[in-house]
């Protein structure tokens, strides 16, 4: 990524997309059988925890100076990867 501003813009855009994806899964889960619904709720809860962590790290980076922000980027990237994997796992398990 070029600048810190570009990084924030990209990350915020992805978080908004994930929020929409989580909402879709939540809606789908509400329509599922009791057992499937419980699995949806569990997955959605875990994804929201990861999403909240990503939002928090992004806010911390925004408040930091650029040099400190770049150091924090590694932590955010790890949180990001966890969120991405969670979304992929949830989407794959619900397509079955």
């Amino acid at each position: 990524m070029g600048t810190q501003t570009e990084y924030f813009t990209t990350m915020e855009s992805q978080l908004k997309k994930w929020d929409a994806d989580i909402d879709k899964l939540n809606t789908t889960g509400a329509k599922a059988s009791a057992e499937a619904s419980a699995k949806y709720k569990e997955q959605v809860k875990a994804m929201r925890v990861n999403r909240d962590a990503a939002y928090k790290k992004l806010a911390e980076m925004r408040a930091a100076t650029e040099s400190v922000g770049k150091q924090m980027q590694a932590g955010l990237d790890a949180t990001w990867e966890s969120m991405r994997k969670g979304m992929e796992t949830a989407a794959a398990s619900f397509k079955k």
Side-chain angles (χ1 to χ4, degrees):
M1 229 47 39
T3 68
Q4 194 169 357
T5 302
E6 290 171 344
Y7 185 78
F8 289 135
T9 301
T10 300
M11 295 299 162
E12 287 173 340
S13 176
Q14 184 62 53
L15 281 170
K16 287 177 185 177
K17 181 189 178 303
W18 282 339
D19 282 341
D21 291 345
I22 290 170
D23 289 342
K24 270 191 213 175
L25 287 174
N26 198 35
T27 300
T28 302
K31 296 175 186 175
S33 68
E35 183 180 334
S37 181
K39 288 180 183 180
Y40 271 92
K41 286 179 183 178
E42 185 178 314
Q43 288 282 339
V44 166
K45 183 178 177 182
M47 286 184 286
R48 285 187 173 148
V49 167
N50 284 335
R51 182 221 36 217
D52 291 345
Y55 270 119
K56 183 178 177 184
K57 288 195 182 279
L58 192 61
E60 289 171 359
M61 282 181 65
R62 188 176 294 271
T65 63
E66 183 144 352
S67 62
V68 173
K70 286 184 181 192
Q71 293 170 359
M72 295 172 74
Q73 185 174 338
L76 180 59
D77 288 344
T79 301
W80 213 258
E81 184 63 15
S82 176
M83 182 69 182
R84 185 189 64 74
K85 285 180 181 178
M87 291 294 295
E88 288 177 357
T89 299
S93 68
F94 297 134
K95 287 182 181 178
K96 291 180 182 178

